[in-house]
Amino acid sequence: MTAPLLEVRGVSIAFGGVVALDRVDLEVGRRELVSVIGPNGAGKTTLFNCICGLYRPDAGRIAFEGRPLPRRPDLIARRGIARTFQNLELFRHSTVLDNVLLGRHLHIRTPFVAAALGLPRWKRDEVAHRRRVEEILDFLDLQAARHRRVGDLPMAQQRLVEVARALATEPILLLLDEPSSGMTAEEKADLVHRIKDIREEWGITVVLVEHDLKIVMGISDWIAVLDHGTKIAQGPPEAIQRDPQVISAYLGETA
Amino acid sequence: MFTPLAPGRAAPGLARIPLFAVARTLVERYEDDLYLVKGPAAWTAVAALLIGLAALPFLLPRLGMGYLLFIAVLASANVIVAVGLNLLVGYAGLISLGHAGFVAIGAYASGLLAARLEVPWPAAWLGAAAISAAFGFLVGLPALRLTGPYLTIATLGFGIAVYQVLTNWTELSGGRGGLSVPALGLGVGGMSAIQQLALVAITAAVALCWIAYNLARSHIGRALAAIRDSDIAAEVTGVSLTWYKTLAFAISAAYAGVAGAIIAQALRHLEPQAFTFLESITYFAMIVVGGLGTVTGGIIGALLLTLIPHYLSGIKQWLPIAYGAVIIAMMLFEPQGLYGRWLRIRRYFKAWPL
């Protein structure tokens, strides 16, 4: 078997006395579509924050493509990990286009002087990146909103802009943190297709944190369940649905 | 992140509005979105503006308003400081209340280079920009750890420290006698010293504004605005906070350094009293009044706050109070500044009668 793309080994982190993650293991293979579920406060977002470098785990290690990750989040992004945020972290005052163009940032090689003087080199680069951004806007059906301020868009579109910005970095691994929250049933159905496409057509590995179990059961290759910072179960959707520990975590002790 | 003045509110996606697009033109290629000046009418307006500015040093004395040349020099310097400060405050969201310190460093650096080392003035100006940028880089380092009001206080301390060093280190600053700065010479006959200086200062201001417009709409401007609006999102998207925060300080300080060199030439005699905390507040007031997060806002604010005190010199002692009141009022009622108001008026008439 080949080495996993993402390898989380024994990661623990505590905030004061609260243990947010306790020796969590997670192995994600290339081109897998994996979900991490669990009740509120189970440590799902904390796990994402550890992977993308916003938190430094107290113990354990995280490897990506067989090598340990650098410390700084921007360097981790350059290794090919992109994410979205549960509480939308958009550049609210910029347009959709500028938000997604920022995703191209780590691919922009324009020298400072060329940008400062608006040289042809800058213009060429800018147009090339714009073309790439437009493909992503097409894919997520955001073309009509490209010149609108992100802060003025409805919630569902704002979530898509976050996905677009993450895709613009051309990631190998995409971490989606509750992408469907605040969406209507129709928008959710649409999102499911987009996430599938991201894996099937773009070949991107996806780790999904999601509360909507219908989505999770429908699209995941396998599911990991967190509760109080520990992984209590892992397996294919059918098995997770029947797992007594998972049921008790979701419905309370001995229902 | 806590930003007391929420400068983020000030930048409503203005980056893509062409500067001088008089008539709306159809965008057919992505390149079309990249022009600062679009359409023949806009080009005519820009050309007229540039010719007018270039003619100013020759025109004013003819019209018997030669005394305004000094004001034009001062206005150019202030425009440069304000535009540079706006890149730092309005774009990157890093608040500096010590910019007079960078201006002072630029003024003394250029003055010392020209007076003691007899460096020709263009080199002395570049030296001033470089030295000031180096100090900006150093002040930017704590910006990596300090946020919001803590950083603001650090910059405030820096501005006061520069003033104190210049006051007390007399070998450097020339002591009580001050430091005399040799006049710049363009080697052009028939022009008075102040005319030559005005021409150079206006040229520098136009060039630096143009560079600021370019930077603001490039990936650099996007990265700075991203740090302002959400530093964690910027970081996980691949923007190095270390690099861009220190870069913002360095660029902003380089602008202040050039302005300092101009002021040194205008005063010809440097004393630390010209670069007090009050100057820092005035620079800050300029960008708040004109509009945070837009280059044009900085230009408008700097021009207004240079010209108004000149015509209201009778009430000079009240100006600090007026600036304070104006900053508070603008923050409350017009956070996008006068330029933001103008854009809204323009949008209203474009959409009229809707």
Side-chain angles (χ1 to χ4, degrees):
Chain A
M1 203 190 116
T2 51
L5 178 71
L6 176 75
E7 191 181 3
V8 176
R9 277 269 166 267
V11 164
S12 303
I13 187 169
F15 302 103
V18 183
V19 179
L21 288 177
D22 186 13
R23 283 160 293 166
V24 171
D25 295 326
L26 195 73
E27 275 186 22
V28 182
R30 248 175 223 283
R31 299 196 66 156
E32 282 188 323
L33 205 171
V34 178
S35 290
V36 178
I37 62 170
N40 283 327
K44 305 174 301 269
T45 299
T46 307
L47 179 63
F48 272 17
N49 285 344
C50 288
I51 294 171
C52 71
L54 292 174
Y55 294 160
R56 196 157 300 156
D58 301 331
R61 60 190 182 81
I62 301 173
F64 185 67
E65 296 186 301
R67 288 181 295 146
L69 284 170
R71 282 188 155 195
R72 272 174 29 205
D74 56 302
L75 297 178
I76 292 176
R78 280 170 197 275
R79 285 278 302 275
I81 300 182
R83 73 170 285 183
T84 66
F85 292 87
Q86 183 184 353
N87 308 314
L88 290 176
E89 291 284 346
L90 286 162
F91 314 122
R92 298 178 54 79
H93 306 283
S94 306
T95 60
V96 171
L97 199 54
D98 280 337
N99 267 272
V100 185
L101 271 169
L102 191 91
R104 298 300 302 163
H105 187 87
L106 50 87
H107 297 286
I108 292 178
R109 301 271 173 275
T110 318
F112 180 85
V113 175
L117 301 180
L119 298 181
R121 163 75 197 266
W122 166 77
K123 194 169 279 183
R124 228 176 20 247
D125 287 0
E126 196 75 2
V127 168
H129 290 293
R130 170 81 185 271
R131 201 156 277 145
R132 198 79 191 81
V133 164
E134 292 287 343
E135 286 171 25
I136 294 165
L137 293 183
D138 273 354
F139 169 64
L140 292 171
D141 209 10
L142 286 166
Q143 311 93 320
R146 66 165 73 81
H147 287 299
R148 289 188 55 194
R149 257 175 57 143
V150 166
D152 301 338
L153 296 176
M155 181 65 117
Q157 280 195 314
Q158 293 197 19
R159 294 228 174 258
L160 287 179
V161 174
E162 278 223 331
V163 176
R165 183 178 65 195
L167 283 178
T169 66
E170 297 183 21
I172 299 166
L173 172 67
L174 177 63
L175 310 173
L176 297 173
D177 198 347
E178 298 196 18
S180 83
S181 72
M183 287 189 172
T184 64
E186 281 164 34
E187 288 162 345
K188 282 183 183 181
D190 204 42
L191 180 75
V192 167
H193 287 293
R194 302 292 155 89
I195 295 175
K196 278 183 175 167
D197 285 348
I198 288 171
R199 192 258 294 260
E200 311 292 332
E201 286 175 27
W202 302 45
I204 296 170
T205 310
V206 180
V207 179
L208 181 69
V209 162
E210 184 53 67
H211 269 306
D212 189 316
L213 290 181
K214 227 162 71 186
I215 294 182
V216 170
M217 297 301 165
I219 61 174
S220 312
D221 296 342
W222 53 271
I223 296 167
V225 188
L226 288 181
D227 188 29
H228 296 300
T230 46
K231 192 169 78 177
I232 57 169
Q234 180 175 328
E238 313 81 58
I240 292 295
Q241 267 171 314
R242 289 191 305 268
D243 190 304
Q245 258 192 300
V246 176
I247 294 167
S248 86
Y250 265 88
L251 300 178
E253 303 298 320
T254 54
Chain B
M1 195 181 84
F2 175 74
T3 38
L5 298 164
R9 278 164 70 197
L14 301 176
R16 306 239 154 231
I17 297 175
L19 255 187
F20 295 104
V22 174
R24 204 192 301 230
T25 40
L26 194 64
V27 176
E28 291 172 11
R29 304 171 308 152
Y30 296 147
E31 283 90 334
D32 295 345
D33 266 348
L34 298 179
Y35 295 124
L36 273 180
V37 184
K38 215 147 85 183
W43 272 110
T44 316
V46 170
L49 182 69
L50 289 180
I51 292 168
L53 283 174
L56 215 54
F58 307 98
L59 227 57
L60 284 176
R62 293 261 161 85
L63 298 171
M65 292 189 287
Y67 62 95
L68 278 181
L69 280 175
F70 183 76
I71 301 295
V73 172
L74 218 54
S76 304
N78 285 341
V79 163
I80 292 170
V81 182
V83 167
L85 182 62
N86 217 346
L87 286 176
L88 182 70
V89 179
Y91 280 89
L94 304 167
I95 292 166
S96 165
L97 284 182
H99 247 54
F102 295 119
V103 177
I105 288 170
Y108 276 91
S110 75
L112 288 169
L113 284 172
R116 302 245 172 108
L117 302 177
E118 292 175 11
V119 173
W121 70 267
W125 285 31
L126 285 178
I131 291 167
S132 196
F135 275 94
F137 175 77
L138 289 179
V139 176
L141 289 178
L144 305 173
R145 295 197 168 268
L146 302 176
T147 52
Y150 306 104
L151 174 65
T152 309
I153 289 167
T155 61
L156 192 148
F158 167 77
I160 293 171
V162 170
Y163 172 77
Q164 288 298 340
V165 167
L166 290 175
T167 311
N168 293 312
W169 190 358
T170 47
E171 296 88 51
L172 188 80
S173 64
R176 241 180 248 170
L179 178 76
S180 291
V181 183
L184 65 79
L186 288 178
V188 188
M191 281 176 83
S192 68
I194 188 77
Q195 268 181 316
Q196 299 189 16
L197 178 60
L199 191 62
V200 173
I202 291 172
T203 310
V206 169
L208 287 172
C209 287
W210 177 67
I211 287 176
Y213 278 117
N214 283 332
L215 286 177
R217 71 205 171 117
S218 72
H219 61 286
I220 296 156
R222 279 197 300 267
L224 295 182
I227 291 172
R228 174 196 68 202
D229 284 354
S230 168
D231 52 352
I232 60 165
E235 218 178 358
V236 303
T237 316
V239 175
S240 163
L241 297 188
T242 318
W243 170 244
Y244 279 97
K245 281 186 176 181
T246 47
L247 182 71
F249 264 101
I251 296 174
S252 186
Y255 271 64
V258 174
I262 294 174
I263 289 172
Q265 289 290 341
L267 300 177
R268 296 289 312 282
H269 183 83
L270 288 177
E271 284 174 64
Q273 276 73 20
F275 309 101
T276 58
F277 173 60
L278 190 60
E279 306 306 315
S280 294
I281 295 290
T282 310
Y283 294 134
F284 195 78
M286 288 174 187
I287 58 171
V288 171
V289 168
L292 287 169
T294 57
V295 179
T296 313
I299 299 172
I300 294 173
L303 290 178
L304 277 179
L305 290 202
T306 313
L307 294 177
I308 291 176
H310 172 67
Y311 288 106
L312 296 181
S313 49
I315 55 158
K316 208 160 203 161
Q317 66 274 32
W318 297 105
L319 281 178
I321 297 173
Y323 287 166
V326 164
I327 291 179
I328 294 171
M330 292 300 283
M331 283 295 174
L332 283 177
F333 304 114
E334 201 73 81
Q336 302 185 355
L338 291 177
Y339 182 57
R341 166 61 52 185
W342 156 246
L343 285 180
R344 259 174 288 151
I345 293 171
R346 199 174 69 167
R347 209 172 305 150
Y348 174 81
F349 281 107
K350 251 185 189 168
W352 197 82
L354 285 175

